Amino acid sequence: MILATHALVGAAIGKNINNPWLIGLSAIIIHFILDTFRHGEYLDSRVDKLKNTWWKILIDLSTAGLIILAALYHYGFNKEITINILVGAFFSLLPDSVNLFYWLFRWKFLKPLYNFHVWVHLSINKIQKFAPERQWNLRNAANDIIFSIIAIILLFI
């Protein structure tokens, strides 16, 4: 899933659960469940590097951030709801952040989490790393779109 989908789903979890510890745990678990669904990645070729992808990540996170900010405005920046939504968004992005830190710095203590994340993406779907099923196109993005729309609805009702 793209980062916006994870952030929106995490924010929706945060809006609808009142316990921050449960929000964090739920957001992480749901992150991995979402990654089992077929989805495209915008880092989808062997030649892509982070330096060629930073602008996609920036647009992705900005889109989610603006939608979350709109939800916070909708609820009048209520302190409890704001904290819960932000906790949900943060923890839903945490597994991808761990991947990034492992990828950039090769910190050995992060390798088991990185390997699990790779396994969730590749093994469950039986899709190879650079297969057409992982490319960014409308067919592969359909699950991202569906989950994001559901999250937005849950965030605003």
Side-chain angles (χ1 to χ4, degrees), residues 98-123:
V98 168
N99 272 7
L100 176 65
F101 284 118
Y102 177 75
W103 191 50
L104 290 175
F105 305 114
R106 297 293 180 201
W107 291 336
K108 291 183 180 184
F109 71 95
L110 296 178
K111 189 170 183 173
L113 295 169
Y114 174 81
N115 287 340
F116 176 72
H117 206 161
V118 169
W119 176 80
V120 167
H121 274 91
L122 304 178
S123 297

Side-chain angles (χ1 to χ4, degrees), residues 54 68 116 136:
W54 68 268
I68 291 169
F116 176 72
W136 185 251

Side-chain angles (χ1 to χ4, degrees), residues 24-86:
L25 180 62
S26 299
I28 290 171
I29 291 169
I30 297 295
H31 175 103
F32 290 116
I33 291 171
L34 288 174
D35 280 348
T36 65
F37 289 87
R38 178 183 177 143
H39 60 281
E41 303 280 353
Y42 43 65
L43 184 63
D44 65 359
S45 76
R46 290 176 174 89
V47 296
D48 271 348
K49 300 289 181 206
L50 189 59
K51 68 179 182 178
N52 300 330
T53 308
W54 68 268
W55 62 273
K56 296 174 188 176
I57 294 169
L58 185 62
I59 291 171
D60 191 9
L61 289 175
S62 296
T63 301
L66 288 172
I67 294 168
I68 291 169
L69 187 61
L72 295 175
Y73 177 78
H74 175 73
Y75 292 106
F77 296 99
N78 173 293
K79 183 180 177 181
E80 182 181 354
I81 292 175
T82 298
I83 290 170
N84 289 346
I85 286 174
L86 295 178

